[in-house]
Every structure is written in C-alpha cells, then in structure tokens.
C-alpha cells in the first residue's frame, strides 16, 4: 500500500526497469571463453547495486579475481515457510560482431526487442528478477516464502567459480531452500494441431539429463607403418567410435517424459495412451512423436540416452603406427539410466578400448505433482489463459545440478510470452540473440504471481 492508502501500480517503474536492466547488463561484457577466462564482476556489481537500492543486503562472493557471484535474501512474511531459490548466471558465451545485425554488446532496443548476447541466455531473467524485487520494495509487497537470489559466475564453463563454489563453501546462504527455479523453461513454444490450429505450449523444466563426457583410449603395439600390425590402436579406436556412433539407445520414459508426451499430445488433440495394453515404447514412441509435429523437438532429445563422438586424437607421423589413440564422446544420461549407460559403453568399446569419465554431472528429476509445479502452471495460465503448460526434461544441464547437492529441487522456469515466428530455441548461444520487450514485461508479471502465490 502506498502512503496515500491507494494500491500503487507495481509495474509503473518495473516495466521500464526490466528493459533498461536487460540492456545495461548486455553492455557489461561477461564473455566466458572457458578455462577461467571471464570477468563477471561488472555485472555482479550492477546487480548488487540495484538490490541494495531496494533495501536488500547482497553478498558478493569472488572465488577468483573478477569471478563474482551475488547472493541476497528477500525476507518472506512467513518465517516458518521454506525458502525458494531463484538463480541466474551472469556470464555469456562468446559472440563475433561480424556475424550480427547489431553489435552483440550494444544492448540496443530495436523493433520492440532488446538485442545482444545474453538477451536470451540469460541476462533477461536477471533483469526481470531485479525489476520485480525492486517493485516489491517500492510498493510494500512481499512474498510469503523467503526468496534467495543467486546471480552466478561460470555457468557457461565448469561452474567451478560459480554455483559449484557457492554450494561447497557458502551453503549457509541457501539455508531453508527446498526448491529452485532458473533457466530453460516456461517460454512459448508454438505448436499446431494436425489441421493447422496454432497451440501455445509452455514447457516447464522438471528434469535434466546428466552429463557423461568420456575419454576413450585404445592401446596397441607401436611400429612401422609399412609392417603388418594386428594390434593397431587407431584401428581399434575407430571401430569403437563407429559402434558408439551407430548405437541405437533404447527408449526409457521417466515419469516427467511420460507426462510430457501425454500432456503435449492432449494439447494438440492427438490420441496417446501410454498405459494402454500393448503400448510398446520401443515400437510406439517414435510414431507418437511423429504425430506431434514440431512439438516433437521438445521431447525427442529426452526419451533416450545419447553418446555423440566429438573428438579424435592419434598419431604424429603417417608412417608410424602410434601406441595409443584417444577419442572424446559427449554422453547424456537420463535419470535412473546411469548403470545401463555404463554397461552399454563397456559393450560398445569392447576389450581393446578403455573408457573413463572426463566430466560427469548427475541427472535430475523433479516432482510434477507438487504444489510448486501447480503454482508455476497457474501463474502462466493467469497471464496466458489459452496456453498449455507441460513438464519437460531438459536435454542438457544448468546450475540446477550444483544446487541439487544442497537438496534443492530444480525447475526450469523463466517465463516469456513470445510471438510466432521467433525461433527462440535457436537464439540460445546463437547469432542475433534478442528478446521482445513485451516478453520481458509478461515474464516479470508471471514471476511475480508465481513467487507470491507458491505455497
Ligand atoms: Zn544459460
């Protein structure tokens, strides 16, 4: 309530701030080139200053020079209620200005959109959260649960200077948090029924495949390239890589993927009964996906494990057979399918090739029958009543994996209403990354509703 007893419009200022903050954050170049080459500090200082202006007490955590994280707690009205984590990363992937229609670090507003690296992934979300909590402070509103804000470094590389560091060394800042929301979910996915009627889906992230980045090593007998050699490491490695590449992984449906298939099909008017007698996932899921049109793109990456060969390394001279050969494989593993993945790799690589994890992170699976999921669904439908909210497992990963180590259940929820024709999925790490101004304002309202109504 304002001083005059009138309810002040919570968006009078926030609608401008969410656009300005997105632009400002894009202009603060936080390119993460990997291997420690990044400097998030200017964006962290910017975010912390906006929070301090709203009466919060942000803490800056800098595990290495320039690699700055910001954590702050918004006190809820019910001290007995569990806390909720809202996290977003401050770093961005590189962008080459030569490829772009506008400079990727200009933050320019043009044609109703904010342009630049991070407009999608994910300075837009940081800006929405900043504008929202400032609106709460200015209008005397507060959520029921404590909201812990974490703006992290290093998500686009290893998270070693970001969420991983926070979880290992500053766990107390997240005390009481049972759930968290962050990137990759709740933005409009434009689908259509078989007869062409448009349908707006909002896929909310409720799980992530785990990462299993592998090193394959073949050891053989080194020797002269002109001599017979039945123990050639290059040949053994090439055969194993070809088997991994050709492997058809079995369909494995997690509860989230089952719900995703069922609810997406229902939204599109496609008959699907995964519990029908005789339904054979291995035989029938691909046929079902084919009937979902473009919506299949959301689901296809998450019905199987995957293992894509990405690197090869062997030899130093064409007439010398090397003693070893190595390959890199990007494996992604569904929740609950870790043992099966390892057994398959043993079989595919065979006795002449060893494999080991070079990096591994867990798969996540979050409940979708939860009050939190219901609150996310209700918040989206309140602002887009004709939409369909569906749970989805993410094909890749986010900082939610790190925070899961604190027992925090993660959801992908960064709401945006997007116009048809904008291929938003392609803008993540893409050229001409941009976000509509209207989408930012919609997202702030949905976030507001979710964070103030979630039980
Ligand atoms: Zn991201």
């Amino acid at each position: 309530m304002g001083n005059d007893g009138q309810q002040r419009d919570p968006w009078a200022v926030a609608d401008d701030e969410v656009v300005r903050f997105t632009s400002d954050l894009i202009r603060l170049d936080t390119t993460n080139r990997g291997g420690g080459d990044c400097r998030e500090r200017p964006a962290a200082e910017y975010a912390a200053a906006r929070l301090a202006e709203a009466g919060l007490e942000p803490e800056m955590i800098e595990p290495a020079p320039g690699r700055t994280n910001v954590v702050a707690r918004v006190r809820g009205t019910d001290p007995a209620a569990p806390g909720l984590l809202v996290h977003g990363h401050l770093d961005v992937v590189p962008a080459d200005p030569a490829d772009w229609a506008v400079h990727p670090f200009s933050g320019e507003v043009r044609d109703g959109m904010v342009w630049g690296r991070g407009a999608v992934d994910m300075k837009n979300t940081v800006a929405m959260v900043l504008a929202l909590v400032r609106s709460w402070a200015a209008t005397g509103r507060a959520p029921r649960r404590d909201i812990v804000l974490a703006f992290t470094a290093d998500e686009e590389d290893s998270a070693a200077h970001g969420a991983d560091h926070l979880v290992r060394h500053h766990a107390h800042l997240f005390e009481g948090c049972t759930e968290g929301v962050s990137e990759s979910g709740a933005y409009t996915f434009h689908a259509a029924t078989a007869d062409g009627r448009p349908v707006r889906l909002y896929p909310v992230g409720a799980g992530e495949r785990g990462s299993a980045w592998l090193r394959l090593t073949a050891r053989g007998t080194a020797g002269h390239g002109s001599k017979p050699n039945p123990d050639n490491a290059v040949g053994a490695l090439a055969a194993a890589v070809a088997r991994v590449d050709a492997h058809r992984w079995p369909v494995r449906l997690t509860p989230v993927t089952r719900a995703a298939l069922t609810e997406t099909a229902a939204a599109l008017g496609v008959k699907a009964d995964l519990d029908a007698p005789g339904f054979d996932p291995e035989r029938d899921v691909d046929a079902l996906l084919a009937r979902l049109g473009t919506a299949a793109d959301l689901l296809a990456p998450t019905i199987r494990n995957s293992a894509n060969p990405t690197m090869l390394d062997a030899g130093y001279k064409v007439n010398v057979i090397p003693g070893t050969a190595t390959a890199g494989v990007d494996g992604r593993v569904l929740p609950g399918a870790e043992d099966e993945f390892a057994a398959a790799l043993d079989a595919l690589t065979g006795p002449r090739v060893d494999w080991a994890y070079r990096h591994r992170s867990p798969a996540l699976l979050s409940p979708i029958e939860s009050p939190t999921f219901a609150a996310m669904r209700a918040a989206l439908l309140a602002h887009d009543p004709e939409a369909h909210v569906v749970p989805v497992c993410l094909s890749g990963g986010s900082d939610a994996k790190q925070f899961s180590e604190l027992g925090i259940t993660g959801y992908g929820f960064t709401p945006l209403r997007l116009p048809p024709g904008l291929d938003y999925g392609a803008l993540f790490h893409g050229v001409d990354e941009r976000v509509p101004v209207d989408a930012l304002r919609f997202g702030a309202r949905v976030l507001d509703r979710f964070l103030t109504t979630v039980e």
Side-chain angles (χ1 to χ4, degrees), residues 223-228 319 321:
H224 200 291
S226 70
K227 297 275 167 47
N319 61 352
I321 297 170

mmCIF file with all atom_site columns, all heavy atoms in Angstrom, residues 223-228 319 321:
data_model
loop_
_atom_site.group_PDB
_atom_site.id
_atom_site.type_symbol
_atom_site.label_atom_id
_atom_site.label_alt_id
_atom_site.label_comp_id
_atom_site.label_asym_id
_atom_site.label_entity_id
_atom_site.label_seq_id
_atom_site.pdbx_PDB_ins_code
_atom_site.Cartn_x
_atom_site.Cartn_y
_atom_site.Cartn_z
_atom_site.occupancy
_atom_site.B_iso_or_equiv
_atom_site.pdbx_formal_charge
_atom_site.auth_seq_id
_atom_site.auth_comp_id
_atom_site.auth_asym_id
_atom_site.auth_atom_id
_atom_site.pdbx_PDB_model_num
ATOM 1  N N   . GLY A 1 223 ? 54.611 -49.250 -34.065 1.00 0.00 ? 223 GLY A N   1
ATOM 2  C CA  . GLY A 1 223 ? 55.533 -49.854 -35.030 1.00 0.00 ? 223 GLY A CA  1
ATOM 3  C C   . GLY A 1 223 ? 55.559 -49.110 -36.349 1.00 0.00 ? 223 GLY A C   1
ATOM 4  O O   . GLY A 1 223 ? 54.969 -48.031 -36.495 1.00 0.00 ? 223 GLY A O   1
ATOM 5  N N   . HIS A 1 224 ? 56.271 -49.708 -37.300 1.00 0.00 ? 224 HIS A N   1
ATOM 6  C CA  . HIS A 1 224 ? 56.460 -49.111 -38.616 1.00 0.00 ? 224 HIS A CA  1
ATOM 7  C C   . HIS A 1 224 ? 55.166 -49.201 -39.429 1.00 0.00 ? 224 HIS A C   1
ATOM 8  O O   . HIS A 1 224 ? 54.509 -50.237 -39.430 1.00 0.00 ? 224 HIS A O   1
ATOM 9  C CB  . HIS A 1 224 ? 57.601 -49.829 -39.333 1.00 0.00 ? 224 HIS A CB  1
ATOM 10 C CG  . HIS A 1 224 ? 58.169 -49.023 -40.447 1.00 0.00 ? 224 HIS A CG  1
ATOM 11 N ND1 . HIS A 1 224 ? 57.479 -48.762 -41.606 1.00 0.00 ? 224 HIS A ND1 1
ATOM 12 C CD2 . HIS A 1 224 ? 59.372 -48.396 -40.576 1.00 0.00 ? 224 HIS A CD2 1
ATOM 13 C CE1 . HIS A 1 224 ? 58.216 -48.031 -42.398 1.00 0.00 ? 224 HIS A CE1 1
ATOM 14 N NE2 . HIS A 1 224 ? 59.387 -47.787 -41.797 1.00 0.00 ? 224 HIS A NE2 1
ATOM 15 N N   . GLY A 1 225 ? 54.854 -48.127 -40.094 1.00 0.00 ? 225 GLY A N   1
ATOM 16 C CA  . GLY A 1 225 ? 53.615 -48.085 -40.869 1.00 0.00 ? 225 GLY A CA  1
ATOM 17 C C   . GLY A 1 225 ? 53.612 -49.022 -42.068 1.00 0.00 ? 225 GLY A C   1
ATOM 18 O O   . GLY A 1 225 ? 52.554 -49.242 -42.676 1.00 0.00 ? 225 GLY A O   1
ATOM 19 N N   . SER A 1 226 ? 54.772 -49.589 -42.442 1.00 0.00 ? 226 SER A N   1
ATOM 20 C CA  . SER A 1 226 ? 54.827 -50.480 -43.603 1.00 0.00 ? 226 SER A CA  1
ATOM 21 C C   . SER A 1 226 ? 54.661 -51.949 -43.229 1.00 0.00 ? 226 SER A C   1
ATOM 22 O O   . SER A 1 226 ? 54.538 -52.795 -44.095 1.00 0.00 ? 226 SER A O   1
ATOM 23 C CB  . SER A 1 226 ? 56.173 -50.309 -44.323 1.00 0.00 ? 226 SER A CB  1
ATOM 24 O OG  . SER A 1 226 ? 57.212 -50.854 -43.518 1.00 0.00 ? 226 SER A OG  1
ATOM 25 N N   . LYS A 1 227 ? 54.669 -52.246 -41.911 1.00 0.00 ? 227 LYS A N   1
ATOM 26 C CA  . LYS A 1 227 ? 54.643 -53.643 -41.460 1.00 0.00 ? 227 LYS A CA  1
ATOM 27 C C   . LYS A 1 227 ? 53.226 -54.070 -41.083 1.00 0.00 ? 227 LYS A C   1
ATOM 28 O O   . LYS A 1 227 ? 52.434 -53.257 -40.606 1.00 0.00 ? 227 LYS A O   1
ATOM 29 C CB  . LYS A 1 227 ? 55.558 -53.793 -40.229 1.00 0.00 ? 227 LYS A CB  1
ATOM 30 C CG  . LYS A 1 227 ? 57.020 -53.491 -40.496 1.00 0.00 ? 227 LYS A CG  1
ATOM 31 C CD  . LYS A 1 227 ? 57.703 -54.733 -41.023 1.00 0.00 ? 227 LYS A CD  1
ATOM 32 C CE  . LYS A 1 227 ? 59.076 -54.455 -41.614 1.00 0.00 ? 227 LYS A CE  1
ATOM 33 N NZ  . LYS A 1 227 ? 59.960 -53.627 -40.822 1.00 0.00 ? 227 LYS A NZ  1
ATOM 34 N N   . PRO A 1 228 ? 52.890 -55.346 -41.236 1.00 0.00 ? 228 PRO A N   1
ATOM 35 C CA  . PRO A 1 228 ? 51.602 -55.828 -40.736 1.00 0.00 ? 228 PRO A CA  1
ATOM 36 C C   . PRO A 1 228 ? 51.478 -55.574 -39.238 1.00 0.00 ? 228 PRO A C   1
ATOM 37 O O   . PRO A 1 228 ? 52.482 -55.710 -38.516 1.00 0.00 ? 228 PRO A O   1
ATOM 38 C CB  . PRO A 1 228 ? 51.639 -57.337 -41.022 1.00 0.00 ? 228 PRO A CB  1
ATOM 39 C CG  . PRO A 1 228 ? 52.729 -57.530 -42.013 1.00 0.00 ? 228 PRO A CG  1
ATOM 40 C CD  . PRO A 1 228 ? 53.718 -56.418 -41.812 1.00 0.00 ? 228 PRO A CD  1
ATOM 41 N N   . ASN A 1 319 ? 53.805 -42.539 -41.310 1.00 0.00 ? 319 ASN A N   1
ATOM 42 C CA  . ASN A 1 319 ? 54.408 -43.874 -41.434 1.00 0.00 ? 319 ASN A CA  1
ATOM 43 C C   . ASN A 1 319 ? 54.782 -44.483 -40.083 1.00 0.00 ? 319 ASN A C   1
ATOM 44 O O   . ASN A 1 319 ? 55.595 -45.395 -40.006 1.00 0.00 ? 319 ASN A O   1
ATOM 45 C CB  . ASN A 1 319 ? 55.615 -43.842 -42.381 1.00 0.00 ? 319 ASN A CB  1
ATOM 46 C CG  . ASN A 1 319 ? 56.707 -42.906 -41.881 1.00 0.00 ? 319 ASN A CG  1
ATOM 47 O OD1 . ASN A 1 319 ? 56.492 -42.169 -40.911 1.00 0.00 ? 319 ASN A OD1 1
ATOM 48 N ND2 . ASN A 1 319 ? 57.859 -42.924 -42.525 1.00 0.00 ? 319 ASN A ND2 1
ATOM 49 N N   . ILE A 1 321 ? 52.929 -46.188 -36.706 1.00 0.00 ? 321 ILE A N   1
ATOM 50 C CA  . ILE A 1 321 ? 51.705 -46.620 -36.009 1.00 0.00 ? 321 ILE A CA  1
ATOM 51 C C   . ILE A 1 321 ? 51.866 -46.258 -34.536 1.00 0.00 ? 321 ILE A C   1
ATOM 52 O O   . ILE A 1 321 ? 52.814 -46.701 -33.884 1.00 0.00 ? 321 ILE A O   1
ATOM 53 C CB  . ILE A 1 321 ? 51.497 -48.140 -36.171 1.00 0.00 ? 321 ILE A CB  1
ATOM 54 C CG1 . ILE A 1 321 ? 51.284 -48.483 -37.652 1.00 0.00 ? 321 ILE A CG1 1
ATOM 55 C CG2 . ILE A 1 321 ? 50.305 -48.608 -35.330 1.00 0.00 ? 321 ILE A CG2 1
ATOM 56 C CD1 . ILE A 1 321 ? 51.319 -49.976 -37.943 1.00 0.00 ? 321 ILE A CD1 1
#
